[in-house]
Amino acid sequence: MVSPGFGQHFTDHMVSIDWTRASGDAAAVSSAPHSGGEWHDARLEPFGPLSLSPAAAVFHYAQEIFEGLKAYRHDDGSVWTFRPQANAARLNRSARRLALPELPEEVFLEALRLLVATDQSWVPEGDGQSLYLRPFMIATEEFLGVRPANEIGFKVIASPAGNYFGGELKPVSIWVSRELARAGHGGTGAAKFGGNYAASLAAQLEASAHGCDQVLFLDPVRDNAVEELGGMNVFFVFADGSLVTPELTGTILEGVTRSSVLQLGRDRGMNVVERTITVEEWRAGVASGEITEVFACGTAAVITPIGTLVDGEDSFTSPAVDPATSVALDIRRELLDLQTGHGDDRHGWLYRLV
């Protein structure tokens, strides 16, 4: 089967739910921006263009959030997704940060189930393939004032997905962004907010201009500590058996795959540590042999080894991946086996959709 790529084709339907603030509750906006309203008119409808006013708040003040997760077909034909409750919880954390209404977990899960049940023929069966699910929430109110919107739309669309980076899994090259940032302290970095991704694009173009696949963002407030890539979290494997990833400081997205990797590392008896790590420690650790692997993780890419890091005129390459001993590849295999129904779901992470 030809790979469907990523985000290029879409299923026949989408789920839509509206939220409207109750009349007379405008005074509550300043103290509780997502209170006094209700979700209503849940519906399944054909996938297609949205009809929105040019004055819709989402276009002017970027009041929106989204999530991303995958549905996998198992050998018996059933369709499952991975830790959707964690996505529902993160959606609501993002909603609080962007002054949007929270969505009950059961509604989030039912929206996923309804769409996949309706469009289940779109769930691919090829190796490494899945149906990518994209729930999102946008401010739809026709209003140009600067305040939380009184009308919100929640939708779920779906797209068949292949390997995120395409073809054979191979180490990606990374450009270090020293001038640009995706988020700042006190900002929206911990939310899955489109503005964070928009803020990463100029740096991604810079990375591409230097022949790199992805960009790495640093935190200048904490000695240029490693934060994350444009859309993935970063991990380091140390020779002493430690698994290290940057700590959550409010500027880093708390990835569902990230938390899963942390747990699977603990399951292996590794010393799992969330702490500050700098490019200088990365460089020195590779040179000394103290750092044995570096990899990135996220819903779309799952786990991808990191090879060369380009930092201005300087560059260095992390150790080559040995399939026989690689922690990253071993965790990746376990994650994929679990998601596709070939592993032991000892943590109860799978959720059946169909």
Side-chain angles (χ1 to χ4, degrees), residues 64-75:
E64 65 80 43
I65 54 176
F66 69 97
E67 274 299 322
L69 61 166
K70 291 179 177 179
Y72 303 84
R73 188 178 299 281
H74 290 190
D75 291 342

Side-chain angles (χ1 to χ4, degrees), residues 21 28 77 83 147-148 206 233 277 328 336:
R21 191 182 309 282
R83 303 189 67 185
R147 60 155 171 76
E206 192 176 64
N233 295 117
I277 184 166
L336 290 175

Side-chain angles (χ1 to χ4, degrees), residues 132-143:
Y132 182 78
L133 306 174
R134 171 54 62 85
F136 63 97
M137 194 183 295
I138 60 174
T140 57
E141 183 184 7
E142 184 180 38
F143 180 71

Side-chain angles (χ1 to χ4, degrees), residues 230-300:
M232 293 181 284
N233 295 117
V234 182
F235 277 86
F236 302 85
V237 180
F238 282 71
D240 65 1
S242 297
L243 180 63
V244 176
T245 194
E247 61 191 325
L248 299 175
T249 61
T251 58
I252 298 174
L253 184 68
E254 186 177 356
V256 175
T257 306
R258 175 187 183 275
S259 65
S260 303
V261 170
L262 291 173
Q263 182 58 58
L264 295 181
R266 295 186 192 99
D267 293 348
R268 285 162 171 72
M270 301 183 74
N271 177 31
V272 174
V273 182
E274 299 177 66
R275 66 168 175 85
T276 297
I277 184 166
T278 64
V279 170
E280 288 66 32
E281 182 183 356
W282 183 347
R283 181 188 290 106
V286 167
S288 68
E290 187 178 3
I291 292 177
T292 58
E293 292 183 64
V294 187
F295 64 92
C297 71
T299 297

